[in-house]
Amino acid sequence: MSLADPTSDTTPFFSDDSEAEGSEEPGAGPSQRREEEEPASGVSSLRAVFTVIVLCFINLLNYMDRFTVAGVLPDIEQYFGINDGKSGLLQTVFICSYMFLAPVFGYLGDRYNRKMIMSVGISFWSIVTLASSYTPKEYFWLLLLTRGLVGVGEASYSTIAPTIIADLYIKERRTQMLSVFYFAIPVGSGLGYIVGSKVDDLAGDWHWALRVTPALGLVAVVLLLFVVKEPKRGAIEARPEHTLQRTSWLGDMKALCRNPSFVLSTFGFTAVAFVTGSLALWAPAFLFRAAVFTEGRPPCVKGPCDTSDSLYFGIITVVSGILGVASGAEVSRRLRLRTPRADPLVCALGLLLSAPFLYLAIVFAQASPIATYVFIFLGETFLSMNWAIVADILLYVVVPTRRSTAEAFQIVLSHLLGDAGSPYLIGVVSDSLKQTDSYLWQFRSLQLSLLTCSFVAVGGGAFFLATALFIEKDRQRATNYAPTDDEPIVVPKSGRSTRVPVSSVLI
């Protein structure tokens, strides 16, 4: 078959069948014995654990790099002389490239070797991130361009990594491993603030904060190539890839759009993305302005700026993220014993509880810094309850051959309506509300614009409550999925692949 044939059992260069299938060694005994001893995924238990560890490390680096910029944002604003609107663009251009390329990598991830795709993407991400740290003062547009290109590498990873874990584990074990994987999001985000602020302080130059993750990224590529093993798609669920009929990309999208649980949970996750994207970029800057306004802290006139708020916010993000992800997974596990609708209900609970605490954190910023940090901690803890559960919902309501496409679709929609625009939107609203350029209005305008996050969180909770109405039916449909006689199959024609109904080729 040709390289482009998605159903080919051997695809040169992109294939990893030598790993996934294995080859019988001389004197190793009959092949039947090897098949009985080898796990269905084609990956040993120990190798599977190491695979998850490497994927978690890379996920941590992704989020660490993403929020390093937010950790040194006051320095960047002072260095380039930009306003809040342009500052918000730093996150927006990254998310835009990330979400538009996610479907491309989702399509490739469902058809070709996932390990090779991720290796190339992460290498590119490391190089571009390093290049962004050498942006001259007069070329802010160049920093925007390089931050946009960083999204290429992250898109190649984020759409594919969860599907590898899904092909290594099932049921409760899968939920546990996804929880470990998604610990990297709050931990990596918090480390981005912490490392960015501390490197900035030590070096006296914010550029060095952007040079930490590229070096670690190259280490990640080496680990990915030599430790991670490509599992067989769907085999762990007793439904090997070759027994599931592949439909076209358009057919996959139609099936996903007819899946209420997937669509509604994606809209719920969009609210999570909106809130986290807004807070991730603007919370440290907001806390800094609150300190200038209420505590008389010196404003940032010349770098390096005071980055203590980024450090404290990073620590809070790490701790609240770990507690939130762990508690969300545990509450969901216990609630499943009583109702099969546990997952979307826990997600809804997390968002609805986070909304009032985030509102109080923003309101109390001018009265009590300690109360503000306490409310931020509680709000982020409840917000973090969603991460692993949303990923698990997607994996058990979507069949294996559509999972990378589903991950990509969820990334596009959640970022398009969520954190692609929310940092820029918050910045623009802040600029429009600013009546004067005084320190009072720099703080007050940003405070008012951030209040939007609480109301968006409530809307996201409503979407997850709606998901609970359909989750049982959609999970059963995915579990019992079997291709019908009218679904298209791939038939070679003059060296190329074409899709025709089964009934037209049966004799």
Side-chain angles (χ1 to χ4, degrees):
M1 286 191 176
S2 66
L3 174 64
D5 189 344
T7 60
S8 175
D9 289 330
T10 56
T11 45
F13 180 76
F14 287 107
S15 178
D16 201 20
D17 293 312
S18 60
E19 288 185 347
E21 299 295 337
S23 58
E24 189 177 349
E25 298 177 1
S31 59
Q32 263 187 331
R33 188 184 309 163
R34 182 177 178 83
E35 289 177 2
E36 290 174 358
E37 295 175 355
E38 186 182 66
S41 65
V43 182
S44 68
S45 300
L46 183 61
R47 191 76 175 270
V49 171
F50 281 122
T51 295
V52 173
I53 291 173
V54 173
L55 294 179
C56 287
F57 174 64
I58 300 172
N59 202 30
L60 185 144
L61 286 183
N62 277 339
Y63 281 88
M64 183 175 164
D65 172 76
R66 187 184 297 188
F67 296 111
T68 298
V69 170
V72 295
L73 187 61
D75 285 276
I76 293 176
E77 286 186 322
Q78 185 275 326
Y79 182 80
F80 289 103
I82 54 177
N83 57 21
D84 288 347
K86 289 184 178 179
S87 298
L89 280 176
L90 286 170
Q91 188 77 346
T92 297
V93 294
F94 160 75
I95 295 296
C96 285
S97 68
Y98 172 59
M99 70 177 183
F100 285 126
L101 287 167
V104 176
F105 288 107
Y107 177 88
L108 296 174
D110 276 335
R111 288 157 178 81
Y112 300 114
N113 183 278
R114 292 171 286 188
K115 188 171 81 171
M116 292 302 300
I117 295 171
M118 289 190 295
S119 299
V120 173
I122 295 168
S123 299
F124 181 79
W125 158 73
S126 300
I127 294 170
V128 173
T129 301
L130 181 62
S132 69
S133 69
Y134 292 96
T135 306
K137 192 172 186 176
E138 300 79 14
Y139 296 93
F140 175 69
W141 64 268
L142 189 58
L143 180 63
L144 288 177
L145 175 62
T146 53
R147 291 307 297 173
L149 292 176
V150 167
V152 177
E154 292 212 21
S156 71
Y157 174 80
S158 299
T159 56
I160 294 174
T163 68
I164 292 181
I165 296 176
D167 287 332
L168 292 172
Y169 300 100
I170 56 173
K171 298 182 179 179
E172 294 295 332
R173 188 65 171 163
R174 176 190 288 172
T175 303
Q176 293 170 0
M177 287 300 177
L178 284 172
S179 297
V180 173
F181 178 76
Y182 283 105
F183 273 133
I185 294 179
V187 174
S189 302
L191 286 176
Y193 297 113
I194 294 170
V195 173
S197 61
K198 296 309 293 182
V199 171
D200 185 12
D201 288 341
L202 293 173
D205 184 356
W206 66 269
H207 294 86
W208 283 98
L210 301 182
R211 296 168 188 167
V212 177
T213 51
L216 295 174
L218 296 179
V219 174
V221 172
V222 173
L223 292 174
L224 188 60
L225 290 173
F226 293 100
V227 176
V228 172
K229 186 175 182 181
E230 177 89 358
K232 302 172 187 175
R233 288 182 178 88
I236 194 72
E237 297 166 287
R239 294 185 300 172
E241 186 178 12
H242 62 270
T243 66
L244 294 174
Q245 297 290 350
R246 277 239 176 102
T247 55
S248 64
W249 181 84
L250 185 59
D252 289 345
M253 292 304 300
K254 288 181 179 178
L256 292 174
C257 290
R258 290 195 296 264
N259 188 327
S261 295
F262 170 74
V263 173
L264 289 170
S265 63
T266 297
F267 279 116
F269 187 65
T270 299
V272 177
F274 184 100
V275 176
T276 54
S278 301
L279 293 177
L281 186 69
W282 288 114
F286 172 69
L287 294 169
F288 175 80
R289 294 182 189 184
V292 171
F293 172 59
T294 61
E295 301 174 15
R297 182 185 299 179
C300 183
V301 179
K302 183 178 180 181
C305 302
D306 186 344
T307 57
S308 58
D309 295 301
S310 296
L311 177 63
Y312 300 147
F313 184 74
I315 295 172
I316 288 175
T317 301
V318 170
V319 178
S320 64
I322 292 174
L323 289 176
V325 173
S327 60
E330 182 61 20
V331 171
S332 177
R333 185 187 70 82
R334 292 177 180 272
L335 194 58
R336 284 175 189 172
L337 301 177
R338 299 189 176 188
T339 173
R341 300 175 178 178
D343 287 348
L345 290 176
V346 172
C347 289
L349 179 67
L351 275 171
L352 293 175
L353 287 176
S354 70
F357 288 116
L358 292 176
Y359 183 90
L360 290 173
I362 296 168
V363 170
F364 270 84
Q366 66 195 64
S368 173
I370 295 177
T372 298
Y373 279 114
V374 170
F375 288 134
I376 287 177
F377 173 79
L378 293 172
E380 285 201 320
T381 298
F382 288 118
L383 194 63
S384 299
M385 291 176 68
N386 294 273
W387 291 108
I389 303 175
V390 172
D392 202 18
I393 290 174
L394 181 149
L395 294 172
Y396 64 63
V397 300
V398 177
V399 296
T401 52
R402 292 177 181 145
R403 283 175 181 161
S404 288
T405 300
E407 289 278 357
F409 180 79
Q410 189 173 83
I411 286 173
V412 169
L413 191 61
S414 62
H415 290 309
L416 179 65
L417 302 179
D419 55 351
S422 64
Y424 178 68
L425 177 64
I426 296 296
V428 170
V429 172
S430 175
D431 286 337
S432 65
L433 293 175
K434 201 178 297 179
Q435 297 183 8
T436 65
D437 200 29
S438 65
Y439 298 128
L440 167 63
W441 278 105
Q442 286 181 3
F443 162 72
R444 184 73 72 193
S445 61
L446 186 56
Q447 181 186 44
L448 293 173
S449 61
L450 282 172
L451 288 175
T452 309
C453 296
S454 298
F455 300 100
V456 172
V458 173
F463 278 116
F464 279 119
L465 288 176
T467 304
L469 300 175
F470 302 95
I471 195 74
E472 292 181 78
K473 181 180 178 182
D474 291 335
R475 176 162 30 193
Q476 291 174 0
R477 182 184 301 166
T479 302
N480 302 321
Y481 172 77
T484 63
D485 290 341
D486 292 325
E487 289 200 28
I489 62 173
V490 176
V491 178
K493 181 180 180 181
S494 303
R496 299 179 62 185
S497 299
T498 185
R499 296 180 181 275
V500 297
V502 176
S503 56
S504 67
V505 295
L506 293 179
I507 300 177

